[in-house]
Amino acid sequence: MIVTLHVATGGCAGLLIRSRLGAVLLGPPLHLAADRIPHEDIADRRFEVASGLVCIGLLAMRRGPFDPVTLGAASSSAPDLEHVLPRLRPGGRKLFHDGGADHLGGLPASVQLLLAGVTLGWLLALGRTSSARP
């Protein structure tokens, strides 16, 4: 999946679970599950990194940096950091991306961008939650 869709799905998980700790813990398994869906990727790493950071930044500005939505978004997209930060790979091996997904065909990147945009727009429109649990 593309980074912005990981951000969006992690944000939705945080909204549903309404727990900071739960949102952080749920992020990586949610990332793994999403990556198992056959999908196209975006080859431009700079775009992927920049768009993910911008989306997390927008959520943090709108909802607060410790809101479960923001934490879920960051946690769900964090496993993609191993693509750009080799230090995160113990023994040089990737932990989250072992080639288990089918990257030929599947969910087009354009559809993923549309889904991510609509979902993130909705999360931003909702504003900040007031009943977050630790």
Side-chain angles (χ1 to χ4, degrees):
M1 290 294 159
I2 63 170
V3 174
T4 53
L5 194 52
H6 285 305
V7 170
T9 56
C12 286
L15 182 70
L16 291 174
I17 203 162
R18 295 191 324 222
S19 162
R20 292 179 186 113
L21 179 59
V24 169
L25 294 176
L26 189 59
L30 185 59
H31 183 104
L32 285 171
D35 273 356
R36 295 297 176 253
I37 298 169
H39 62 277
E40 293 178 357
D41 284 326
I42 294 176
D44 188 344
R45 294 268 164 144
R46 293 172 101 186
F47 173 80
E48 285 273 67
V49 170
S51 62
L53 290 173
V54 165
C55 290
I56 292 169
L58 289 170
L59 288 171
M61 287 181 355
R62 176 74 169 137
R63 304 184 64 89
F66 300 110
D67 186 272
V69 170
T70 306
L71 294 173
S75 177
S76 184
S77 60
D80 277 339
L81 289 173
E82 72 182 2
H83 291 306
V84 293
L85 299 174
R87 293 185 298 266
L88 297 179
R89 299 183 216 153
R93 202 164 170 263
K94 292 182 178 180
L95 295 174
F96 289 92
H97 302 92
D98 61 358
D102 178 8
H103 289 88
L104 299 173
L107 191 60
S110 59
V111 172
Q112 294 177 63
L113 276 171
L114 179 63
L115 290 171
V118 168
T119 304
L120 288 164
W122 175 68
L123 290 171
L124 291 166
L126 288 176
R128 189 174 187 152
T129 60
S130 59
S131 59
R133 297 178 305 224

